[in-house]
Amino acid sequence: MTKVVNYISEAFEELKSNVTWPDWSEVQRLTIVVAVFSIVFALATWGVDEMCAKAIAGIFNLIKS
């Protein structure tokens, strides 16, 4: 158990002393970039899904007729 506690305390010390954290303005800017990309990607995925659903429905309608 002491190895786990030692590992966790060393990890926190590493985060405090050796990691270069970005400025708050950069964090905000990158968060907006990720949010916009996520929305665009979600809309593109939805669009492709709708087109595939309509194509499959059209194929089934041709088969049923």
Side-chain angles (χ1 to χ4, degrees), residues 24-53:
W24 182 244
S25 61
E26 186 177 4
V27 170
Q28 289 175 330
R29 183 180 60 81
L30 292 176
T31 300
I32 292 170
V33 168
V34 169
V36 168
F37 177 78
S38 297
I39 291 169
V40 168
F41 189 73
L43 289 173
T45 303
W46 173 76
V48 169
D49 182 55
E50 285 295 317
M51 286 190 298
C52 288

Side-chain angles (χ1 to χ4, degrees), residues 2-65:
T2 57
K3 287 184 179 182
V4 173
V5 172
N6 189 29
Y7 174 78
I8 292 172
S9 67
E10 287 179 1
F12 275 111
E13 184 61 36
E14 183 83 16
L15 286 172
K16 285 194 292 187
S17 62
N18 294 335
V19 174
T20 304
W21 296 99
D23 295 332
W24 182 244
S25 61
E26 186 177 4
V27 170
Q28 289 175 330
R29 183 180 60 81
L30 292 176
T31 300
I32 292 170
V33 168
V34 169
V36 168
F37 177 78
S38 297
I39 291 169
V40 168
F41 189 73
L43 289 173
T45 303
W46 173 76
V48 169
D49 182 55
E50 285 295 317
M51 286 190 298
C52 288
K54 287 182 181 183
I56 291 171
I59 291 171
F60 281 136
N61 283 337
L62 286 175
I63 292 172
K64 192 171 31 171
S65 299

